[in-house]
Amino acid sequence: MTNEIKNFGPEKKITRLTLVMLILTHIVPSPIFIITELGMGAVTVGEMLTTLADPVIYIIPVLQILAPVLMFINFRNLVDTFDGSEESTRKINRHINVFEKFSIVLPVFFSAISPAVYNLRYNQRGLSYAAFGSESPFLYQLMLMLGITFVFSLFTYIIYLQSIERNIWWLPYKTEYKTLGLVSRTVTAAVFGILGLVMVVECMFFIPANRELSNIQFLMRIIPFVAVATVMDVIDFFYNINDVKRNMTSISGLSNSLSNRDYTAGKIPVTMRCELGDLVNDLNSFSDLTRDILIGIRQSIQTSNQNANILAKSMDSASKSVSEITNGIEMIGNAISDQASGVEEANASATHIMERIRELNQSIEVQAACVNQSSAAVDEMVANIRSMTQILEKNTSAVNSLGQASDEGRQSVQSAVTMSQEIISQSASLMEASTIIQTIASQTNLLAMNAAIESAHAGEAGKGFAVVADEIRKLAEQSSKQGKSISDSLKALSASIGHVSERTKEVQQKFDVIYNLAQTVRSQENVIMNAMAEQSEGNQQVLDAMKQISDTTMVVKDGSTEMMVGGEQIVREMGLLNDSTTKIKDQMSDMETGVAGILSSMKEVSTSSEKNQNDLNKLGEIIETFKL
C-alpha cells in the first residue's frame, strides 16, 4: 500500500498566521515574565523600571524577532522552489522536519539565555532586588522563564504547527516525512504543560521574601498563577486534541461516503503530518483504487455488451463468409501450385546471386590488402619527410652561421679598408714632411756655401768657421739624400698600401657577394622548410585519409561477409520455403474439412454469447448502485 498522494492544487502560499505564531512563540515569554515577576513580588515597579532602562537587555527581544522572521523567509523561499519532482519533495520535507523541530528548540534556548543576560547586567550595574536581599535572582528567573515558555509558548507553537501543516497540504507526504507522531505530539504537549506549571509554582520558593509569608498568604499569592497556568495547559490540550478531532471528522466523512457507495467525494488533504496523515493517504489511495476498479468494471461491462451485440451480428455474417472461404481455399490451392514453380525459380536466382557475392568478397579482400600496403608506403614517406625536415633544420642553422660569419668578415674587411685609407692619408703628410726636409737641406747647403765664401774672405780668422760650414754642408747633403730616400720609400709604401686597399675592396665585394648568397640560401631554406612542413601536413592528411579508407574497406569487408552469410541463409530459406509451399498445398485440403467444424462451433458460440450478455446485464445493474 502506498503512502503517496497527488498534488491537490498549484497554490503554495504560506499564510502570515504562521509567521505571527512563530514570532509569538519566541517573544510571548518576555512580557508575561515581567508581569509575573511583579505579581509574585519578586521585584517592585521601580526595580522593574530600573531594569528595563538598560538598553543591553533588549538585544534578546530583537534576536527573538529576527530569528523567526529569517527562518520563515528561508522556509518560504525554499517552498517557492518546489517543482513537483521527487528530489524537490524530499528536500522540502526534510527542511520542514528541521524547521519545525528547530522552532521548538530555539524559543527554549532564548528563554534559557535571557535570565543569564539579565543576571549579568544585574551584577554589572550593581542592582539589588529587595525581595532577594543578598541572594542572586538567577535561578528564580531561569525557572520562571522556562516555566512560562513551556506553558504559554506551547499554545502559540501548537497554532503555528497546525497553520504550517495546513499551508503545505499540497506537498506530497510519505510516512518517512513524519515530523512528530500523534503520541509524541500529545505526550510532548502534556509534558511541557505539566513541567511549565511545576516550574511556575516551584520558582515561588526561590524568592526569599515569600519564605517569610504565612502558608495562607503564600497560597493566596500562588493560586492565581497556578490557575492561569492550569487554564493555559487545558487550552493547549484542547487545541492539540481539537486538531486531531477535526482530522478524524474529515476521515470519518470520507469513510461514510465510501461505505454508502459514494465515490464522488474529493480527496482529504493531509493537514497533520503524523499517523493521521498516513491514514488519510491510505484512505485516499483506497478511494482512488476502488473507484478506478469500479469504473473499469462498468466500462468493461459496457464494452462487453457492445462486443456481444457485435459478435452476434458477426456470427451471422461469418456463416456467409465460411462458404466464401471454401471457394477461396480452392483458389488458394491453385495459387499455391503457381507459387511452387515461382519459388523454384527464385531459389535458382538466389544461388546465382550467392556466387556473385562470393566473387565480390574476394575482390574486397584484395582491395583491403592494397589499401594496407598503400598506407604503409605513405607512412614511410611521412617518416622520410620528417627526416629531411630535420636535415633542413640543421642546414638552416649552418647557413645562418655562415651568413653571420660572412657579415662579420665583411665588417672586418671594411675596417681594414678604412685603416688603409687612413695610412695613405698619413703617408701623404710624411711626403710633405720629406719635401720640407729636402728644402731645408737645400737651404742649409746654400748657407754653408755662403759661409765658406765668407770664411775665405776672412782669411785665417775664418778657417774654423769654414770647417763648420763644410760639416754643415755635408750634413745638409746627407739630409737631402735621406729625405729623397724617405720620399722614395713613402711613395713605394703608398703604392703598396693603395694596392692593398684595392685588393681589400675586392675582398669586401666578395664578402658582400658571399653574404648576399648566404641570405639567399637561408631564404630558400625557409621556403623549402615551409614546403616540407606543408608536404608533411599533406602527407599526414593523406595518411589519415588512407586510414579512413582502410577502416571503410574493413567495414565493407565485414558487410560483404555478412551479405555472404545472409545470402547463404536466403538460399537455405528458399529451400525451406519450397518445402513449406508443398506442405501448405497438402494442408489446404485439410482446411476444407475444418470449415465444416467451424460452422458447428459458431452455433455454440452464438448460444454462449447470449448467456454471457444476460450475466453482464445483471452485473451492470449492481455497479450502477455505486456513485462514481
Side-chain angles (χ1 to χ4, degrees):
M1 181 180 294
T2 179
N3 285 329
E4 297 183 6
I5 62 171
K6 298 179 181 179
N7 196 343
F8 287 94
E11 185 180 6
K12 297 183 289 185
K13 183 178 180 181
I14 307 299
T15 61
R16 294 180 180 178
L17 177 63
T18 303
L19 176 60
V20 171
M21 289 297 105
L22 183 59
I23 294 175
L24 290 177
T25 301
H26 288 75
I27 66 173
V28 158
S30 295
I32 297 178
F33 173 77
I34 295 173
I35 296 172
T36 306
E37 275 198 317
L38 293 172
M40 288 184 174
V43 295
T44 63
V45 175
E47 290 171 344
M48 181 58 68
L49 293 176
T50 301
T51 301
L52 295 177
D54 184 11
V56 176
I57 65 174
Y58 292 100
I59 295 176
I60 299 300
V62 171
L63 292 177
Q64 288 175 321
I65 295 175
L66 285 178
V69 170
L70 294 176
M71 289 169 56
F72 179 80
I73 292 174
N74 179 57
F75 174 70
R76 188 175 59 186
N77 292 337
L78 181 64
V79 167
D80 291 338
T81 63
F82 178 70
D83 55 7
S85 65
E86 186 67 23
E87 178 62 25
S88 178
T89 301
R90 286 197 300 269
K91 180 180 179 182
I92 296 178
N93 276 289
R94 287 196 300 266
H95 191 81
I96 290 173
N97 287 336
V98 175
F99 184 50
E100 292 183 357
K101 292 175 181 177
F102 198 69
S103 300
I104 299 175
V105 175
L106 197 59
V108 177
F109 170 74
F110 279 121
S111 298
I113 65 170
S114 296
V117 174
Y118 298 156
N119 189 66
L120 177 63
R121 295 299 297 166
Y122 172 84
N123 294 328
Q124 290 177 347
R125 296 175 64 192
L127 301 178
S128 61
Y129 296 149
F132 288 90
S134 60
E135 295 185 14
S136 172
F138 173 70
L139 291 178
Y140 161 75
Q141 292 176 341
L142 176 62
M143 185 168 291
L144 178 61
M145 182 65 79
L146 290 176
I148 292 173
T149 301
F150 292 159
V151 173
F152 292 91
S153 291
L154 178 62
F155 171 72
T156 56
Y157 179 79
I158 291 173
I159 299 178
Y160 148 76
L161 183 60
Q162 294 174 0
S163 174
I164 194 172
E165 290 187 344
R166 291 173 187 172
N167 286 331
I168 59 173
W169 58 267
W170 45 265
L171 183 66
Y173 168 75
K174 296 181 180 179
T175 303
E176 61 187 87
Y177 302 145
K178 184 187 301 181
T179 305
L180 287 175
L182 185 61
V183 176
S184 299
R185 293 171 186 241
T186 306
V187 172
T188 301
V191 170
F192 272 85
I194 295 172
L195 185 60
L197 176 62
V198 172
M199 285 185 171
V200 170
V201 174
E202 186 68 21
C203 70
M204 291 284 291
F205 295 95
F206 286 87
I207 303 175
N210 288 340
R211 300 169 191 167
E212 300 175 358
L213 298 176
S214 63
N215 293 335
I216 297 176
Q217 291 175 332
F218 186 81
L219 288 175
M220 294 301 295
R221 177 168 291 184
I222 199 174
I223 285 175
F225 298 102
V226 173
V228 172
T230 303
V231 170
M232 284 304 304
D233 284 343
V234 172
I235 294 174
D236 294 342
F237 298 155
F238 170 77
Y239 268 88
N240 193 29
I241 298 302
N242 187 60
D243 193 35
V244 175
K245 179 183 177 182
R246 179 179 55 79
N247 278 269
M248 291 301 298
T249 300
S250 299
I251 294 172
S252 177
L254 180 59
S255 300
N256 289 332
S257 298
L258 297 180
S259 63
N260 293 324
R261 302 184 178 184
D262 184 3
Y263 286 83
T264 59
K267 291 183 179 180
I268 306 174
V270 177
T271 57
M272 286 190 71
R273 304 174 75 82
C274 58
E275 289 81 359
L276 291 180
D278 299 337
L279 180 59
V280 168
N281 271 349
D282 294 340
L283 193 58
N284 286 330
S285 299
F286 172 76
S287 175
D288 290 342
L289 180 61
T290 306
R291 182 171 60 250
D292 293 341
I293 292 174
L294 293 175
I295 291 175
I297 292 174
R298 183 173 64 184
Q299 293 175 349
S300 298
I301 291 172
Q302 294 174 354
T303 303
S304 298
N305 284 327
Q306 293 174 359
N307 292 335
N309 294 327
I310 294 173
L311 179 61
K313 296 178 181 179
S314 298
M315 292 301 294
D316 294 334
S317 61
S319 298
K320 299 177 182 179
S321 299
V322 168
S323 59
E324 296 177 359
I325 291 173
T326 303
N327 297 328
I329 289 174
E330 293 178 356
M331 295 175 62
I332 292 173
N334 296 328
I336 289 295
S337 299
D338 296 336
Q339 180 183 354
S341 60
V343 168
E344 291 178 356
E345 294 178 358
N347 190 16
S349 299
T351 303
H352 180 69
I353 292 172
M354 188 60 200
E355 292 176 355
R356 301 297 297 171
I357 290 176
R358 290 192 181 97
E359 293 176 358
L360 177 61
N361 186 51
Q362 293 176 355
S363 300
I364 290 174
E365 289 179 351
V366 174
Q367 178 184 354
C370 294
V371 168
N372 290 332
Q373 293 176 359
S374 300
S375 178
V378 171
D379 193 9
E380 183 178 358
M381 183 172 64
V382 170
N384 292 332
I385 289 174
R386 289 175 180 170
S387 177
M388 291 179 63
T389 302
Q390 294 175 356
I391 295 173
L392 286 173
E393 289 177 353
K394 294 179 181 179
N395 290 342
T396 300
S397 177
V399 169
N400 290 334
S401 300
L402 177 60
Q404 183 177 0
S406 63
D407 188 28
E408 293 175 355
R410 185 169 59 86
Q411 293 176 359
S412 299
V413 171
Q414 181 67 33
S415 300
V417 170
T418 303
M419 291 179 64
S420 297
Q421 291 176 352
E422 289 179 357
I423 292 171
I424 292 172
S425 177
Q426 296 295 328
S427 297
S429 299
L430 292 175
M431 289 292 290
E432 291 177 359
S434 176
T435 303
I436 293 171
I437 292 172
Q438 290 178 1
T439 302
I440 293 172
S442 177
Q443 292 295 327
T444 303
N445 190 24
L446 182 61
L447 289 174
M449 292 176 64
N450 289 332
I453 294 170
E454 290 299 326
S455 65
H457 290 165
E460 290 293 332
K463 288 183 177 180
F465 184 72
V467 173
V468 173
D470 186 53
E471 293 296 328
I472 291 174
R473 182 181 58 80
K474 293 179 179 179
L475 180 61
E477 290 176 355
Q478 291 179 356
S479 296
S480 179
K481 292 179 180 179
Q482 292 295 327
K484 290 180 180 179
S485 177
I486 290 172
S487 178
D488 293 337
S489 298
L490 288 174
K491 288 179 180 179
L493 179 61
S494 178
S496 298
I497 292 173
H499 181 69
V500 170
S501 178
E502 291 298 328
R503 301 301 296 176
T504 304
K505 289 181 179 178
E506 292 178 1
V507 172
Q508 183 182 8
Q509 292 175 357
K510 297 299 182 181
F511 268 108
D512 289 339
V513 172
I514 293 172
Y515 178 75
N516 292 330
L517 290 175
Q519 295 298 321
T520 302
V521 171
R522 182 169 60 183
S523 177
Q524 294 299 324
E525 284 285 338
N526 290 332
V527 172
I528 294 172
M529 281 289 292
N530 294 331
M532 292 303 293
E534 293 177 358
Q535 183 67 25
S536 178
E537 182 178 355
N539 287 335
Q540 185 62 42
Q541 292 177 355
V542 171
L543 184 61
D544 294 339
M546 291 298 295
K547 184 177 184 303
Q548 292 180 356
I549 293 173
S550 178
D551 295 340
T552 304
T553 303
M554 293 305 297
V555 173
V556 173
K557 182 179 178 182
D558 294 339
S560 176
T561 302
E562 293 178 359
M563 288 175 61
M564 186 167 64
V565 174
E568 292 175 351
Q569 182 67 27
I570 290 173
V571 172
R572 289 195 297 270
E573 293 296 331
M574 291 300 297
L576 295 175
L577 179 60
N578 191 15
D579 296 338
S580 299
T581 303
T582 304
K583 292 179 180 179
I584 291 172
K585 185 177 180 181
D586 295 336
Q587 291 175 357
M588 292 300 296
S589 59
D590 296 336
M591 290 177 61
E592 295 179 359
T593 305
V595 168
I598 292 174
L599 288 174
S600 61
S601 299
M602 289 175 63
K603 294 180 180 179
E604 295 178 0
V605 169
S606 179
T607 305
S608 299
S609 175
E610 183 178 358
K611 184 176 181 298
N612 289 336
Q613 189 172 6
N614 294 330
D615 294 337
L616 288 173
N617 290 332
K618 293 179 181 179
L619 180 60
E621 293 175 358
I622 297 173
I623 295 298
E624 289 300 326
T625 59
F626 291 88
K627 295 181 180 179
L628 302 175

